[in-house]
């Protein structure tokens, strides 16, 4: 099936400033020059749900899933510090950004990984955009269980995610839209690009730092879990205001096949 890529993608070794080029499909004329862009990305969690796995062999049969909205929610219910994410080779915004929090066994290391996917559709001229970014956080059973309990007893008011220096994020310096960022993934169209040295092209993976913060209703002991992989989990008592009134966070249990 066809994907709706609008541009060819090339990497030019001789060009020291720009790492990636978007080229016109028919003529291969230059459309966009992209540079790696290292910055901090902020997200607000919404539609948080607990999903049950049908895999009986899994030592822990639940995962936490949430939609992510770019930016941090302010007191007046607006998202600040937000970005628009677009696949390299395309021009439409990625509207589906999801977070998966999964428990791991005692001997595994906690970390955060990011990947992206392109929806394929027989109709090349479809209007909908189903491209997605998936952020996976793998936590110890102890920390995962703490998040789970706050969701199940409705003490979780809000949550945010901060990611620093994500590989595979690019910026068009000539664009007037400073908030639009291009995303290079590990999908076939992004790996089989015209390149002199394909291994030097940065794609989505593990950010240098990841901080996920849960704001909890009621008195709690502020808890911080951090590791050498740059992943930090924070539980903070929310003393300022009840943000559940500002942002609708739905909690539900679902079974995942």
């Amino acid at each position: 099936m066809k994907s709706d890529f609008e541009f060819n993608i090339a990497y030019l070794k001789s060009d020291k400033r720009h790492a990636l080029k978007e080229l016109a499909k028919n003529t291969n004329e230059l459309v966009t020059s992209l540079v790696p862009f290292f910055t901090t990305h902020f997200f607000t969690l919404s539609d948080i749900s607990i999903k049950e796995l049908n895999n009986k062999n899994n030592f822990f049969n639940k995962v936490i899933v949430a939609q992510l909205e770019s930016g941090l929610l302010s007191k007046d219910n607006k998202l600040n510090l937000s970005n628009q994410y677009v696949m390299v080779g395309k021009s439409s915004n990625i509207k589906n950004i999801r977070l998966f929090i999964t428990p791991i066994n005692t001997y595994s290391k906690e970390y955060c990984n990011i990947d992206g996917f392109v929806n394929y559709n027989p109709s090349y001229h479809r209007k909908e955009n189903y491209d997605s970014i998936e952020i996976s956080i793998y936590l110890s059973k102890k920390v995962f269980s703490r998040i789970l309990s706050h969701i199940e007893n409705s003490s979780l008011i809000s949550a945010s995610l901060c990611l620093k220096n994500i590989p595979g994020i690019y910026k068009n310096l000539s664009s007037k839209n400073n908030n639009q960022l291009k995303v290079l993934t590990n999908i076939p169209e992004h790996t089989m690009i015209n390149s002199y040295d394909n291994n030097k092209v940065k794609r989505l993976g593990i950010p240098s730092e990841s901080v996920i913060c849960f704001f909890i209703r009621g008195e709690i002991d502020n808890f911080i879990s951090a590791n050498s992989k740059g992943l930090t989990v924070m539980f903070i008592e929310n003393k300022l205001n009840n943000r559940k009134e500002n942002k609708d966070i739905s909690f539900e249990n679902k079974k995942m096949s």
Side-chain angles (χ1 to χ4, degrees):
M1 290 188 289
K2 283 187 176 182
S3 63
D4 52 357
F5 276 77
E6 302 166 48
F7 313 111
N8 294 325
I9 308 166
Y11 168 70
L12 304 181
K13 183 179 179 180
S14 60
D15 193 332
K16 296 181 180 179
R17 185 179 183 189
H18 299 115
L20 285 177
K21 308 287 186 181
E22 290 180 319
L23 309 174
K25 277 278 189 179
N26 298 326
T27 63
N28 267 350
E29 292 182 0
L30 177 64
V31 176
T32 310
S33 295
L34 302 171
V35 294
F37 189 66
F38 298 101
T39 187
T40 302
H41 308 256
F42 299 96
F43 298 94
T44 296
L45 279 66
S46 66
D47 296 327
I48 302 173
S49 62
I50 303 168
K51 294 195 175 183
E52 297 181 5
L53 302 171
N54 291 326
N55 183 8
K56 296 181 180 179
N57 296 324
N58 196 324
F59 73 95
F60 210 102
N61 66 346
K62 292 181 180 180
V63 296
I64 298 169
V65 182
Q67 288 294 125
L68 293 178
E69 298 180 59
S70 178
L72 292 177
L73 195 65
S74 64
K75 293 182 180 179
D76 55 357
N77 204 29
K78 293 182 179 179
L79 287 169
N80 299 321
L81 304 172
S82 62
N83 293 308
Q84 298 172 348
Y85 298 91
V86 181
M87 289 288 179
V88 172
K90 304 178 73 172
S91 61
S92 51
N93 292 341
I94 300 172
K95 297 180 180 178
N96 189 15
I97 305 177
R98 294 181 294 178
L99 173 67
F100 295 86
I101 303 176
T102 304
I104 54 177
N105 60 46
T106 307
Y107 304 102
S108 300
K109 292 185 178 180
E110 298 177 309
Y111 71 101
C112 173
N113 185 66
I114 306 171
D115 211 340
F117 302 91
V118 172
N119 181 70
Y120 293 90
N121 193 297
S123 174
Y124 188 82
H125 301 289
R126 62 184 174 85
K127 295 181 180 180
E128 299 85 359
N129 184 307
Y130 297 103
D131 298 343
S132 64
I133 294 175
E134 293 190 358
I135 301 172
S136 299
I137 293 180
Y138 300 92
L139 298 175
S140 68
K141 288 187 285 185
K142 177 183 177 181
V143 178
F144 180 87
S145 297
R146 183 160 185 165
I147 301 171
L148 201 65
S149 66
H150 285 301
I151 294 175
E152 291 176 334
N153 64 24
S154 299
S155 59
L156 176 60
I157 297 174
S158 62
S160 61
L161 176 64
C162 172
L163 304 172
K164 186 176 181 181
N165 298 338
I166 302 173
I169 300 295
Y170 292 82
K171 180 71 174 175
N172 176 10
L173 294 181
S174 63
S175 173
K176 295 180 180 180
N177 185 356
N178 294 324
N179 296 325
Q180 187 184 83
L181 302 178
K182 288 276 188 167
V183 178
L184 193 71
T185 73
N186 294 288
I187 60 175
E189 288 88 348
H190 281 174
T191 56
M192 296 184 294
I193 63 178
N194 178 18
S195 171
Y196 289 97
D197 192 349
N198 210 4
N199 293 328
K200 288 187 177 181
V201 182
K202 299 297 182 183
R203 297 180 177 84
L204 289 181
I206 298 175
S208 64
E209 293 182 38
S210 311
V211 179
I212 186 165
C213 186
F214 298 94
F215 295 93
I216 307 303
R217 179 190 296 105
E219 294 185 7
I220 64 165
D221 294 327
N222 290 348
F223 175 83
I224 299 177
S225 170
N227 65 23
S228 59
K229 285 281 189 178
L231 173 61
T232 302
V233 181
M234 304 175 67
F235 295 87
I236 298 177
E237 180 184 343
N238 186 73
K239 297 181 179 179
L240 298 179
N241 64 329
N242 187 334
R243 293 179 65 177
K244 193 174 181 181
E245 296 177 358
N246 294 335
K247 187 67 179 178
D248 181 25
I249 300 179
S250 63
F251 303 95
E252 54 184 337
N253 294 327
K254 296 181 180 178
K255 287 191 176 181
M256 181 183 289
S257 56

